[in-house]
Amino acid sequence: MRRRLVLINPAYTRLWFGQAVSSVGDAVFSTTLVLWVATVLAKGRPWAPEAVSGVLLATGAAVLLVGPVAGVFVDRWDKRATMLRTEVLRGGLVAALAAVSFLPAHDLGIWAWLAMVYVTVFVLNAATQFFNPSRFSVIAELVTGEADRARAAGIAQATGQTAWIIGPPLAAPLLFAVGLQWALLFNAFSYLVSYIAISSVDARPAPSTEPDSPAPERRGFLHDFTEGLRFFRGNRFLVALLTFAVIGQLGIGALNTLNVFFATRNLHASAHLYGYLGMAMGIGGIVGALCAGRVVEWIGARRTTWIGLLAGGALLVLYSRQSHFPAALALLFVFALPLTMLNTAMSPLLLAATPRELRGRVVAVFYPVTQLAAMLAAVLSGWLAGSGLRHLDGSVAGLRFGPIDTIFTVSGLVVVLAGVYARIALPDTGEPAAAPAPAPAEQTLEGTQ
């Protein structure tokens, strides 16, 4: 029997509630650490920006180093138990750091504190690489159907966007009014709430209608790891999804890196108004995520994906030509709608193209690669704006072009290119991609079209 629809499904509702609380806790935790390192631990030091960037580097290192191998163990282990263990690890680690933070900062020394912060951030995000694929698999069992899975993905994205609207404003008062340790304890408490929510969910797979097959022979780690890579590489549909996701990240990454400079130079706005641009994107993301399920139901996940890329790229090009803050604010809100919808639509496509026993490994390939693309986009756009195109100043057909708006224009065109590729690679079949069973290791895997 078909599982009940998303938020009227009690098991999914409990899982979502745990995610919502822990997402707010994570947003408070991340913002608090950055503020504390910048304004307390490294205050007045010339290397303060490098110290803050170390927090972000520890996060990226965990995703890139642990993410690809975590999927092997996620596919082997019980998904619910894996989620519970990671919550215990994350909550205990943050609580331990909170306990140490009751000591005066000068007792341990700056470098000892920085080492503890970096190790904590790395381990937390390493544990997340086990938690997220497990949660992905559990939701696939709780929610079926392309439209309902899109709704579930949309609710998850809206929850994450809301957390990052609520969390950072809470972080500063917690840090400066009551201290670092209480902000950390808030995050530890959020993991406890998530643990209780997960423990109340029956995450066993739905009964299969297929005849029983012999239990698979247990293979070594290297065999399972390469099996996942071979499956991904041989599945043309998954390769197509990853390719235009990477192209899209390369295009959009520039916006995340350079938008603050665009606001002050091109929009002629004061720096304190920059936060409103992020808020406009956040609110647009929430609206887009909540509407994504209905849009996928109307036109399908494939069309939602390529139309979202085309529309998002065109809107980014239009945004790059703005010189007035109110118009730019409205455009960023609209820009976030198709961007979030296409991100949401990709989840049911990814699920439909992946067999149950390989979900962890597929997710563990997909998201680290897109994370790497985002990091490369940030580095490339920063170099272009600061060095490569720093002195660019010209006009074409009466339109002036400087370094940042040119980068945004090219980025938008790259996103449009990703949409064109997605239109070709994701034909409107009317049905989601089927998930073929993985072939034996000695055979060549055939992709899904």
Side-chain angles (χ1 to χ4, degrees):
M1 179 179 291
R2 186 173 180 271
R3 300 292 182 100
R4 286 188 290 176
L5 177 65
V6 192
L7 278 182
I8 64 172
N9 181 328
Y12 178 82
T13 301
R14 290 192 292 270
L15 200 63
W16 165 80
F17 177 75
Q19 181 213 1
V21 176
S22 64
S23 294
V24 174
D26 287 343
V28 170
F29 174 79
S30 299
T31 307
T32 299
L33 278 188
V34 168
L35 284 173
W36 185 69
V37 170
T39 63
V40 178
L41 198 60
K43 182 179 180 180
R45 309 275 182 166
W47 42 262
E50 287 85 351
V52 171
S53 67
V55 177
L56 305 179
L57 183 62
T59 301
V63 174
L64 296 177
L65 297 178
V66 180
V69 301
V72 173
F73 298 102
V74 169
D75 285 333
R76 290 180 177 182
W77 295 342
D78 178 86
K79 309 301 184 291
R80 177 174 172 272
T82 301
M83 294 169 70
L84 291 172
R85 289 170 189 147
T86 57
E87 295 304 71
V88 170
L89 174 61
R90 295 195 292 185
L93 189 62
V94 174
L97 183 62
V100 176
S101 68
F102 279 95
L103 296 173
H106 58 79
D107 283 3
L108 291 178
I110 292 176
W111 298 110
W113 277 112
L114 283 176
M116 282 193 296
V117 167
Y118 296 156
V119 170
T120 299
V121 171
F122 179 86
V123 176
L124 283 178
N125 284 278
T128 301
Q129 305 315 303
F130 292 87
F131 181 90
N132 286 342
S134 299
R135 185 178 183 277
F136 186 82
S137 297
V138 168
I139 291 177
E141 301 299 338
L142 295 176
V143 182
T144 59
E146 186 177 82
D148 285 354
R149 283 175 170 173
R151 288 189 181 94
I155 291 170
Q157 285 213 35
T159 301
Q161 293 276 8
T162 303
W164 279 99
I165 290 175
I166 296 173
L170 285 177
L174 280 172
L175 175 62
F176 297 118
V178 298
L180 171 69
Q181 55 269 29
W182 297 105
L184 297 180
L185 287 173
F186 176 83
N187 192 35
F189 174 75
S190 74
Y191 289 129
L192 174 62
V193 173
S194 178
Y195 179 93
I196 294 172
I198 295 167
S199 64
S200 68
V201 173
D202 180 5
R204 292 173 296 182
S208 176
T209 58
E210 300 177 359
D212 293 337
S213 56
E217 179 184 353
R218 176 54 59 91
R219 306 277 189 168
F221 168 82
L222 185 60
H223 174 276
D224 287 354
F225 180 70
T226 55
E227 180 188 40
L229 291 179
R230 279 195 298 267
F231 173 80
F232 203 115
R233 182 187 61 194
N235 189 306
R236 293 192 298 273
F237 188 85
L238 288 177
V239 171
L241 282 179
L242 180 61
T243 301
F244 64 73
V246 166
I247 295 173
Q249 283 285 5
L250 290 174
I252 296 167
L255 182 66
N256 297 329
T257 306
L258 301 177
N259 206 25
V260 61
F261 303 105
F262 184 79
T264 55
R265 298 177 188 177
N266 294 67
L267 301 180
H268 313 292
S270 60
H272 76 272
L273 292 177
Y274 170 68
Y276 291 102
L277 295 176
M279 182 180 294
M281 283 197 68
I283 296 173
I286 293 172
V287 174
L290 294 178
C291 294
R294 181 60 60 87
V295 172
V296 169
E297 188 175 16
W298 285 343
I299 65 176
R302 300 177 185 230
R303 287 182 181 175
T304 303
T305 300
W306 65 259
I307 290 175
L309 285 166
L310 290 175
L315 287 167
L316 183 55
V317 172
L318 187 59
Y319 176 74
S320 71
R321 307 313 313 154
Q322 299 307 305
S323 58
H324 299 289
F325 187 82
L329 199 69
L331 267 174
L332 275 188
F333 169 81
V334 178
F335 168 74
L337 297 175
L339 185 68
T340 310
M341 287 182 185
L342 75 90
N343 287 335
T344 301
M346 290 179 68
S347 289
L349 293 176
L350 195 63
L351 278 170
T354 308
R356 176 186 295 168
E357 62 271 20
L358 285 170
R359 283 174 184 155
R361 279 166 281 181
V362 166
V363 172
V365 170
F366 193 90
Y367 290 108
V369 171
T370 55
Q371 174 76 13
L372 177 61
M375 292 172 64
L376 290 175
V379 172
L380 178 61
S381 60
W383 175 80
L384 287 172
S387 299
L389 299 176
R390 182 176 59 182
H391 301 297
L392 177 66
D393 185 14
S395 61
V396 176
L399 297 176
R400 294 199 62 83
F401 286 90
I404 297 176
D405 55 82
T406 299
I407 293 171
F408 282 1
T409 299
V410 174
S411 298
L413 294 175
V414 169
V415 177
V416 170
L417 177 64
V420 173
Y421 173 69
R423 176 65 183 90
I424 297 170
L426 302 179
D428 298 325
T429 62
E431 296 291 338
E442 65 272 15
Q443 295 181 358
T444 301
L445 290 169
E446 293 298 330
T448 304
Q449 189 65 34

